[in-house]
Every structure is written in C-alpha cells, then in structure tokens.
Amino acid sequence: PTLPAMVAAASAALAFLAFLLFLRIRRASLALGEQVDLVSMLQGALRQPQAFRQLPELFTRRLVPRRRGAPISLVRARELSARGELFWGRGDSRLCRDAATRGVTVLDGARAEGEAVATTLGAIDLDALGELESKAHSDPLVAAIEAQLGEAGVRWRIRIVEGLDRRIRSVDLQALHLARAWKLDRLVYLDAEDALLDAARKTAERRPAAARFGLLDEILARVDLPARARAELSHAAAAEALLELDTATHAEGGSHVRSE
C-alpha cells in the first residue's frame, strides 16, 4: 500500500478509537447522572474499587457535594479521610456551619451522595459533636483543670456528657480553623458514667491536686497529642500533686510526734 493509503487507514483507526472513547465517556456520564445509581456507585467504588476500574471517571470527577464550596472527587475524599480531616454534617449545628464557612471540607449530609461517602469513609460527624455541646455541663473538678490549663495558655473547654459513646471525646478546633472564632483550641467531653471520673471526684474530697492530676493525665493519654506536649501540659498539675503529698506527709509526721 502507498503512504497516503497508510496515513488514511491510520487516521480512520484513530477516529474509530476516539468514537469508542466518546461512547464510553457518554455512557458513564449518563449513568452518573442518575441519583439512585450514583449513590450506589459511589459506595461500591469505595468498598470495591477494583470492580469499578473500568470507570476511572467515577473516582476523579467532582461528584461528592460539600456544605460550602465545589464538590470533591472520591480520590480527594479518601485522601482527607486517611489523614483524619474529612468531616460531614447537615448544617444542624454551629460547629458544622462554622467549619464549612471557614473552608474546611465538610461533606453535605443533606445530599444522599454526601452522606453515602461520609458514612462509608467514616468521616467525622460535626453535627453529632455539636449536639454534645448542647448537652454538656461542668463541675468543680473539671472547671479547676480547665483553669489550670488556662494559666499555662492552653485554651481547652472540658465538659461532662451523659451517655457518651466512649470515655473521652475531643474536637481539635485548630484543625477546623475555628480556634480564633471560638477562642478555644480544643473541646473535650467526658462520659458522666465513667468510673475514673467518679473516683477522681472522691479523691478530690481529700487530695484535690492529686485528683486534678490523675484526671488530666487520663484525658491527655486519650487525646491525640505528641508525648512531649502531653508532658508539658501535665507538668504543673504533677508539681501541685507532689507538693500536696509532701505537705500531707509532713503534717502526718508532725501529728505523730505530738501524740508521742
């Protein structure tokens, strides 16, 4: 065959391949355009990505809605989830609304696609955390720990919640870009039924400094902080507890001398 004929044949083959690619993308677009199918496909792609390898557009297109801002792709959602930086909500709480307003990636739980991706990836539910704030209360022991941290420049709010699903939960407001607006760095919630909290309250009747140190040490052990930061935060409480113990020991020794 002559060179022109070969060029014509190659051009025809390329045109045919381009047409097939167009049809494939068009079929994917039509499938993704249907709400019910889209939700199922997003969940399926996250749970069994290999089964959807013929549909790369499903992973790279911006199909996951946010509360504020442009939608994101499944690839981006998985990246954020792996770093613990993926949030979601319906906007029912101030925490959710404020975070979305400040540019944090908050998936839109009011949309079926957003809720499906959020629950599948285990995103942090800001509305659920916001609801804790409305049910939380303080007491003299946690208020004293809060004040002690405040003296060291640490802006934490520590509260007690009935029926908490774990012993301690915390919200890093810096990660949500809310530290300046809320004038706090972290929210910490303690389960009202936790035995450690009850024991700390009983200890506080005799040795308040020891009770503060013990409870703060438990909180710090369960909050995601570097070891050095935990040690720095507990230093003042530990020093007060040791001073209290030393004072009690000397007082007890003095009473024995007098009785003899």
Side-chain angles (χ1 to χ4, degrees):
T2 63
L3 181 61
M6 293 176 62
V7 171
S11 298
L14 288 173
F16 180 70
L17 289 174
F19 177 71
L20 290 179
L21 180 61
F22 169 79
L23 288 180
R24 178 168 173 247
I25 294 174
R26 177 63 177 166
R27 284 196 300 270
S29 299
L30 290 174
L32 295 177
E34 297 185 17
Q35 177 74 11
V36 176
D37 288 343
L38 178 56
V39 171
S40 300
M41 292 173 73
L42 289 172
Q43 288 179 315
L46 290 172
R47 291 170 179 161
Q48 296 180 316
Q50 289 303 314
F52 291 82
R53 63 182 181 276
Q54 298 301 323
L55 266 181
E57 299 91 348
L58 188 61
F59 296 92
T60 57
R61 284 181 59 183
R62 295 173 176 259
L63 300 171
V64 187
R66 297 165 58 191
R67 289 296 304 173
R68 293 284 293 268
I72 63 172
S73 67
L74 283 184
V75 171
R76 179 59 174 161
R78 285 195 299 192
E79 289 173 353
L80 291 170
S81 177
R83 300 203 301 261
E85 297 174 3
L86 186 64
F87 306 92
W88 76 292
R90 297 176 178 83
D92 298 332
S93 67
R94 177 194 169 197
L95 185 64
C96 181
R97 294 190 298 271
D98 284 358
T101 299
R102 281 164 175 77
V104 176
T105 299
V106 181
L107 303 188
D108 188 357
R111 298 270 300 277
E113 314 97 294
E115 181 178 12
V117 172
T119 54
T120 302
L121 289 176
I124 299 169
D125 187 346
L126 294 181
D127 284 332
L129 291 174
E131 186 179 352
L132 293 181
E133 188 68 11
S134 66
K135 300 189 299 184
H137 63 276
S138 184
D139 77 354
L141 178 57
V142 298
I145 294 174
E146 221 178 72
Q148 195 169 47
L149 290 172
E151 290 173 2
V154 180
R155 304 182 305 171
W156 287 15
R157 178 187 293 164
I158 306 174
R159 294 293 185 267
I160 301 164
V161 179
E162 302 286 343
L164 196 62
D165 60 352
R166 63 194 72 177
R167 297 179 71 182
I168 295 173
R169 292 196 70 167
S170 75
V171 184
D172 184 355
L173 293 179
Q174 290 184 335
L176 293 172
H177 306 301
L178 296 178
R180 178 177 294 181
W182 285 46
K183 298 180 180 178
L184 291 168
D185 297 319
R186 186 177 292 271
L187 303 173
V188 178
Y189 302 104
L190 311 178
D191 180 18
E193 307 300 322
D194 185 48
L196 183 69
L197 179 58
D198 185 55
R201 285 168 171 160
K202 292 176 180 176
T203 301
E205 296 173 3
R206 298 174 288 104
R207 294 175 54 198
R212 290 194 298 272
F213 170 68
L215 186 55
L216 176 59
D217 190 57
E218 180 67 17
I219 292 171
L220 294 175
R222 294 177 179 273
V223 172
D224 186 19
L225 290 174
R228 182 174 179 178
R230 291 200 300 268
E232 290 175 352
L233 290 176
S234 64
H235 177 75
E240 287 188 10
L242 287 173
L243 178 61
E244 180 184 69
L245 177 61
D246 186 58
T247 302
T249 302
H250 280 82
E252 188 174 322
S255 65
H256 283 317
V257 171
R258 286 194 297 273
S259 64
E260 292 174 358

